[in-house]
């Protein structure tokens, strides 16, 4: 897209996810901050973040792209837009700029993308800032319907400006003219109209992530909202702050949808303080050094081979983050694959509140299943030769007929991708002494995977529900399993 000569809206051009992308890249040092703009007509990264980028860039690198189809970034030939495509573009920006991990800031529409990205690629996000954010479903407001239904005229742009801001003193003729001119650039209206056509409630829902996924987020999250916001209801941020375990909520009074403009200096100071807080409490701001990751992964691998547990990684005076733990787990997996094992599946563990409370681990964890872990019903399981401190529990195995690709995978998506479900017994094991684990310990230890035994009964959705399956062990054991399934977070039941 052609820009006026010397326009401040033009940063530098990169190729991200195969699209020519306009990105502003300022400052250096610290954990990089990536900022995703909103979806108002005529928006660009510069228009959205121009007042806060200089302040944030004093102490860190700040990256703000024009997202796919917006501003001076290329538009896809098929003129098709959705959350998955925008998230892929955002990851493409990070990859093109070699940003392994960022503090991610999202405004409104951009907040929904930031949330989805953190869910799908948790290791790429250190901390999350959601400002006037979508990301949960709500009845579309009149203000948002007007924003997405904008028809170009100077008068319509003036009316939208009145919706965006509580402080009407900001709404100058120059600002309205600038945004109006931006909205009539060649190709903009065709692209914008294709993004959110009526009926528009479906686009609110498309940008919403699944509640269980939001609740499982481990990231520290700053939720910001203007009390008088007429575009995104305050209740959306209240819900996000309630669902995200490590969230804090800041509501600005006498403020509309433009927190970063109406309270620019306060917004920048708040984000800086939130990002820098780790320094004051002695936490690292980057991923652990690769040599240390390899050493800890190798230590856990040797513990598995020797059947000699090691002290908790989190008890050694090192600040191990969730992201570090997953990297350690991948190193352990790398050693297993080098010894001839093959990946056959994945595990989601610690999904019931009862187990979380028992282990003092308050979110699900994820691990890899390999072919040397699985046994069939009736086979002898070499527990004493393989495991250290085994614990057995009944589980449900989903045999997939096609891959599941997020973000936003629903229960219906899972069932549609499932060939059948089967009962199994998982025999979990911990390479950590006496099961004294924090969430970082069990994640690093491949989600405490041990062995598992597959049953010989299968249910093919949608003919049956996972809860129709029965484990062995007698009636009392089966009744206990039914009670345990009811305590599971979300499906299966």
């Amino acid at each position: 897209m052609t820009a006026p000569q010397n326009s401040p809206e033009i940063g530098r051009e990169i190729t991200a996810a195969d699209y020519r992308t306009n990105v502003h890249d300022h400052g250096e040092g610290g954990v990089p901050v990536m900022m995703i703009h909103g979806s108002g007509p005529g928006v660009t990264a510069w228009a959205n973040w121009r007042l806060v980028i200089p302040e944030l860039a004093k102490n860190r690198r700040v990256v703000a792209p024009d997202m796919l189809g917006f501003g001076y970034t290329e538009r896809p030939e098929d003129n098709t837009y959705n959350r998955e495509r925008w998230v892929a573009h955002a990851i493409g920006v990070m990859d093109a700029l070699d940003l392994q991990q960022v503090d991610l800031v999202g405004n409104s529409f951009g907040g929904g993308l930031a949330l989805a990205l953190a869910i799908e690629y948790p290791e790429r996000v250190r901390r999350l800032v959601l400002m006037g954010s979508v990301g949960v479903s709500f009845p579309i407001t009149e203000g948002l319907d007007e924003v997405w239904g904008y028809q170009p005229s100077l008068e319509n742009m003036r009316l939208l400006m009145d919706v965006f801001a509580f402080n009407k003193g900001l709404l100058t003729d120059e600002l309205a003219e600038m945004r109006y001119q931006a909205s009539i650039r060649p190709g903009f209206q065709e692209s914008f109209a294709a993004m959110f056509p009526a009926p528009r409630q479906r686009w609110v829902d498309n940008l919403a992530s699944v509640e269980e996924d939001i609740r499982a987020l481990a990231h520290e999250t700053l939720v910001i909202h203007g009390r008088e916001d007429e575009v995104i209801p305050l209740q959306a941020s209240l819900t996000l702050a309630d669902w995200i375990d490590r969230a804090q909520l800041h509501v600005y009074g006498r403020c509309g949808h433009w927190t970063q403009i109406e309270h620019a200096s306060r917004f920048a100071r708040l984000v800086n303080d939130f990002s820098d807080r780790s320094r004051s409490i002695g936490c690292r701001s980057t991923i652990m050094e690769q040599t240390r990751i390899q050493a800890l992964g190798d230590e856990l691998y040797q513990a598995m081979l020797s059947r000699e547990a090691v002290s908790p990684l989190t008890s050694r005076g090192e600040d191990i983050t969730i992201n570090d733990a997953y990297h350690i787990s991948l190193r352990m997996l790398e050693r297993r694959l080098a010894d001839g094992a093959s990946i056959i599946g994945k595990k989601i563990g610690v999904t019931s509140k009862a187990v979380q409370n028992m282990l003092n681990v308050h979110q699900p964890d994820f691990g890899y299943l390999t072919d040397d872990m699985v046994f069939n019903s009736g086979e002898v399981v070499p527990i004493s030769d393989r495991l250290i401190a085994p614990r057995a529990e009944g589980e449900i195995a989903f045999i997939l007929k096609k891959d599941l690709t997020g973000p936003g995978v629903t229960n219906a998506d899972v069932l549609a991708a499932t060939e059948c479900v089967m009962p199994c017994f998982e025999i979990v094991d911990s390479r950590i002494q006496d099961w004294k684990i924090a969430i970082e310990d069990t994640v690093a230890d491949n989600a405490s995977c041990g062995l598992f035994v597959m049953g010989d009964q299968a249910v093919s959705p949608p003919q049956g529900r996972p809860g129709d399956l029965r484990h062995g062990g007698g009636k009392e054991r089966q009744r206990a399993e039914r009670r345990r399934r009811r305590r599971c977070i979300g499906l299966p039941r």
Side-chain angles (χ1 to χ4, degrees):
M1 185 172 178
T2 303
Q5 191 172 8
N6 300 322
S7 169
E9 294 183 294
I10 301 302
R12 66 185 180 103
E13 184 177 295
I14 63 173
T15 299
D18 297 325
Y19 293 102
R20 287 180 290 106
T21 300
N22 179 49
V23 61
H24 295 263
D25 191 350
H26 302 274
E28 59 184 13
V31 177
V33 175
M34 181 161 146
M35 313 186 82
I36 303 180
H37 59 71
S39 59
V43 73
T44 62
W46 178 85
N48 210 152
W49 304 114
R50 67 190 185 278
L51 298 183
V52 298
I53 285 176
E55 185 63 29
L56 295 176
K58 288 180 179 179
N59 300 306
R60 69 191 72 247
R61 186 180 182 186
V62 179
V63 171
D66 289 352
M67 294 302 294
L68 185 67
F70 288 93
Y72 295 96
T73 286
E74 187 177 358
R75 313 188 193 291
E77 291 183 2
D78 61 6
N79 223 21
T80 299
Y81 301 92
N82 53 50
R83 182 183 63 178
E84 292 72 24
R85 201 169 202 178
W86 278 311
V87 168
H89 180 239
I91 287 291
V93 170
M94 294 178 64
D95 289 343
L97 297 177
D98 196 26
L99 300 174
Q100 297 304 310
Q101 189 180 56
V102 298
D103 287 345
L104 190 58
V105 182
N107 168 31
S108 191
F109 151 88
L113 301 185
L115 182 67
L117 190 154
I119 289 169
E120 180 69 8
Y121 303 95
E123 74 284 356
R124 304 297 296 270
V125 179
R126 186 189 71 137
R127 288 187 177 156
L128 191 61
V129 180
L130 306 175
M131 187 198 80
S133 179
V134 299
V136 297
S137 186
F138 56 84
I140 190 168
T141 63
E142 182 179 347
L144 183 56
D145 200 47
E146 290 175 358
V147 170
W148 283 348
Y150 168 80
Q151 293 297 318
S153 76
L154 184 57
E155 180 59 27
N156 284 344
M157 184 57 74
R158 286 192 177 114
L159 291 173
L160 280 190
M161 297 297 98
D162 195 59
V163 170
F164 279 126
F166 174 82
N167 181 359
K168 308 309 178 188
L170 296 171
L171 307 180
T172 64
D173 289 340
E174 291 78 10
L175 178 61
E177 179 69 25
M178 180 188 74
R179 292 296 293 263
Y180 167 63
Q181 290 298 330
S183 75
I184 59 173
R185 292 171 185 144
F188 170 82
Q189 185 57 24
E190 294 83 354
S191 179
F192 188 70
M195 292 178 185
F196 310 108
R200 298 185 181 89
Q201 177 65 49
R202 54 183 164 155
W203 308 119
V204 175
D205 298 336
N206 176 261
L207 289 167
S209 293
V210 177
E211 178 180 347
E212 290 91 340
D213 292 339
I214 298 174
R215 288 186 181 276
L217 275 176
H219 303 78
E220 288 193 61
T221 303
L222 174 63
V223 183
I224 302 173
H225 214 102
R227 186 182 64 198
E228 283 75 29
D229 193 334
E230 296 181 36
V231 180
I232 306 298
L234 175 58
Q235 183 58 51
S237 283
L238 295 175
T239 299
L240 287 168
D242 178 52
W243 288 357
I244 300 173
D245 181 56
R246 302 178 72 190
Q248 55 179 278
L249 173 67
H250 289 256
V251 179
Y252 286 98
R254 299 177 63 80
C255 180
H257 192 56
W258 279 351
T259 307
Q260 85 285 15
I261 294 174
E262 295 192 71
H263 297 275
S265 61
R266 294 172 66 193
F267 175 86
R269 187 165 59 250
L270 181 63
V271 172
N272 265 331
D273 289 346
F274 176 69
S275 295
D276 287 346
R277 187 164 57 82
S278 62
R279 299 178 185 176
S280 65
I281 59 176
C283 296
R284 282 182 302 101
S285 60
T286 57
I287 296 175
M288 179 180 286
E289 290 185 2
Q290 187 63 29
T291 54
R292 189 61 182 146
I293 286 173
Q294 290 183 353
L296 292 173
D298 290 347
E299 181 181 357
L300 288 171
Y301 178 69
Q302 290 300 326
M304 181 192 72
L305 293 182
S306 67
R307 295 181 55 250
E308 294 182 3
V310 300
S311 63
L313 308 189
T314 53
S315 70
R316 304 180 186 185
E318 295 183 89
D319 172 42
I320 297 178
T321 68
I322 290 287
N323 292 330
D324 293 334
Y326 277 113
H327 281 83
I328 294 167
S329 174
L330 288 174
R331 172 59 178 176
M332 189 181 179
L333 175 67
E334 181 183 339
R335 293 293 305 272
R336 297 188 72 148
L337 298 182
D339 276 354
S342 300
I343 297 172
I344 60 171
K346 295 181 180 179
K347 165 194 171 177
I348 303 174
V350 199
T351 58
S352 81
K353 287 295 183 183
V355 174
Q356 289 181 356
N357 291 334
M358 179 182 70
L359 298 178
N360 196 31
V361 170
H362 299 294
Q363 58 184 283
D365 59 3
F366 306 88
Y368 289 89
L369 304 176
T370 56
D371 58 352
D372 57 346
M373 296 180 182
V374 61
F375 292 83
N376 293 319
S377 179
E379 285 190 89
V380 175
V381 181
I383 291 177
S384 60
D385 295 333
R386 296 277 299 273
L387 306 180
I388 301 171
R391 298 178 178 181
E393 55 185 18
E395 300 288 2
I396 296 173
F398 285 69
I399 312 300
L400 300 184
K401 58 186 176 184
K402 62 180 181 180
D403 290 341
L404 285 166
T405 303
V409 174
T410 66
N411 293 332
D413 294 332
V414 172
L415 293 178
T418 299
E419 179 73 29
C420 64
V421 292
M422 301 179 68
C424 74
F425 277 110
E426 182 186 13
I427 308 171
V428 294
D429 192 30
S430 180
R431 273 59 66 176
I432 304 299
Q433 289 175 351
D434 302 322
W435 281 92
K436 293 180 178 178
I437 56 173
I439 181 63
E440 294 84 1
D441 293 302
T442 187
V443 167
D445 192 24
N446 194 32
S448 302
C449 288
L451 308 172
F452 62 99
V453 180
M454 296 297 296
D456 50 15
Q457 177 190 5
V459 174
S460 299
Q463 298 173 2
R465 291 173 52 85
D468 294 335
L469 296 169
R470 296 291 179 266
H471 295 91
K475 293 182 179 180
E476 286 302 318
R477 178 59 184 249
Q478 291 177 12
R479 282 194 288 269
E481 284 299 314
R482 285 195 294 271
R483 291 193 297 270
R484 193 179 67 83
R485 283 196 296 269
R486 285 194 291 270
R487 292 193 295 268
C488 190
I489 301 170
L491 289 179
R493 294 291 190 217

